[in-house]
Amino acid sequence: MEGSVQTEQALLKELCRLRERVNALEQLVARQQATLAETMSKQAALVLERERLQREQAEAQAKEFALLEASQRMDEFLSIASHELRTPLTTINGNIQLARRHLHLLPQPDVVQESYSENLGIVLELLNRAEHQVRIQNRLVSDLLDVSRIQSNRLNLHLHYCDLLEIVRETVAAQRAATPLHLITLTITDIMTIPIMADGDRVGQVISNYLTNALKYSPTSQPVEVSVVIIDGTRARVSVSDKGAGLSVEEQAHLWQRFYRVPGITAQSDSGVGLGLGLYICRTIIELHQGQVGVESTPGQGSTFWFTLPIAP
Ligand code: ADP
């Protein structure tokens, strides 16, 4: 009897211990389930986040592709438009020159009436104006052609030894002849010649562009100054300074970009509308020659545009 009571107590004890273990196991399972649920919800969130990122990446890629396609179409358009515009301009220019030659070949009447000379003067003036406009249009079309060449890596340089000083002198002389009313000074100290390995026509184009801008954006009463100096015996620096409107630091940062025009700056002379391509082309030409471009400017006081080129050994 006593033995069966002991057995019963031992069984009860064992039962309690087992219940405690079951409880502990149940708690462990509950905790693990909670951890599992948390991990699964984190994973689900990660999957959702990854899907969102993939969607965003796909959208960004689609936008980039569309932009690239638009840019390629724009370059194709530039190339076709500039070629198509150049042909009639060449014809118009040829006809102006022909008309001028025919006028000079006209037989002189025995008695030159006043009205005859007057009319001849008017026709010559009209031809001059037409020629001026064709020159402006030609410059725009050349800029468009150059930009389309740059975009498709077709701006080829014809490099040879040349004298930078000669290029500067010739360009300044041509500009003086084209704008006789605007004073252009040229300062070159103690240098006889500056040999460079370059495409002389393209370097001349850069100087001419700086000059036309300086003349275009400054009053006729103020001189434009061109100077050439040697830096460290290894580089030459050409600068063109004007006393025009000047440019803020913010504007200077965008100047060399394609199609950028400073808002609010108007051309002083009758030089036609610009496309904001000249400085972009200048920068490309100079960088293709391993040179650098830059500008120093103060609003209200004027600007100095410069470029450097390595001196040839
Ligand atoms: P654009 O054909 O319009 O003159 P550029 O690329 O040569 O094109 O010049 C870009 C812009 O920079 C011009 O539209 C003008 O606003 C500004 N700019 C260029 N040169 C000067 C200057 N010497 N003084 C003031 N602004 C200038």
Side-chain angles (χ1 to χ4, degrees), residues 35-289:
T35 313
L36 192 70
E38 200 181 328
T39 312
M40 277 175 68
S41 82
K42 274 188 188 157
Q43 274 194 346
L46 279 176
V47 168
L48 285 176
E49 180 65 7
R50 200 182 62 188
E51 278 177 0
R52 188 182 66 78
L53 286 174
Q54 279 174 340
R55 236 185 357 259
E56 276 182 14
Q57 196 185 16
E59 278 168 16
Q61 272 173 350
K63 273 188 197 153
E64 194 184 316
F65 187 69
L67 272 176
L68 198 76
E69 209 177 70
S71 162
Q72 274 169 356
R73 276 210 216 117
M74 165 88 162
D75 291 340
E76 272 169 35
F77 167 76
L78 273 182
S79 171
I80 294 167
S82 44
H83 276 102
E84 292 303 314
L85 287 169
R86 162 124 312 162
T87 315
L89 276 178
T90 312
T91 312
I92 295 169
N93 201 29
N95 286 344
I96 292 173
Q97 305 311 327
L98 256 179
R100 202 189 283 285
R101 211 168 307 149
H102 277 289
L103 272 183
H104 285 300
L105 290 177
L106 274 184
Q108 280 287 320
D110 297 335
V111 184
V112 179
Q113 287 173 355
E114 204 180 311
S115 63
Y116 177 86
S117 325
E118 207 177 290
N119 277 325
L120 194 65
I122 292 172
V123 173
L124 279 172
E125 178 53 27
L126 288 174
L127 286 176
N128 281 346
R129 276 195 230 158
E131 209 176 9
H132 177 67
Q133 292 305 323
V134 168
R135 244 199 321 270
I136 291 173
Q137 293 304 312
N138 247 332
R139 168 123 194 260
L140 289 181
V141 174
S142 300
D143 280 358
L144 281 175
L145 260 176
D146 281 348
V147 167
S148 83
R149 285 187 187 122
I150 292 170
Q151 293 310 111
S152 53
N153 286 326
R154 282 184 297 110
L155 191 81
N156 299 323
L157 298 180
H158 305 288
L159 298 179
H160 53 96
Y161 274 103
C162 37
D163 179 10
L164 179 61
L165 285 190
E166 199 180 308
I167 299 170
V168 174
R169 284 200 190 97
E170 275 175 11
T171 314
V172 168
Q175 196 58 60
R176 279 179 180 149
T179 49
L181 296 180
H182 212 137
L183 178 65
I184 306 173
T185 65
L186 175 58
T187 312
I188 304 167
T189 29
D190 300 335
I191 321 166
M192 301 308 286
T193 154
I194 303 178
I196 52 169
M197 178 58 95
D199 185 326
D201 290 343
R202 289 293 184 184
V203 174
Q205 179 183 346
V206 175
I207 303 166
S208 175
N209 212 305
Y210 280 11
L211 265 174
T212 41
N213 275 354
L215 297 164
K216 196 157 75 167
Y217 299 112
S218 68
T220 320
S221 56
Q222 298 288 345
V224 165
E225 293 162 15
V226 182
S227 65
V228 188
V229 291
I230 302 284
I231 308 168
D232 307 332
T234 55
R235 284 171 301 146
R237 175 177 146 136
V238 179
S239 315
V240 178
S241 304
D242 66 65
K243 300 212 165 35
L247 300 149
S248 68
V249 176
E250 163 77 15
E251 288 160 353
Q252 289 172 40
H254 298 289
L255 275 183
W256 309 92
Q257 291 166 1
R258 209 159 58 124
F259 296 114
Y260 178 77
R261 309 199 68 233
V262 177
I265 288 200
T266 44
Q268 305 271 340
S269 53
D270 168 33
S271 41
V273 64
L275 295 176
L277 295 175
L279 291 177
Y280 167 76
I281 296 167
C282 289
R283 181 177 64 124
T284 308
I285 291 174
I286 293 299
E287 286 178 355
L288 283 173
H289 283 89

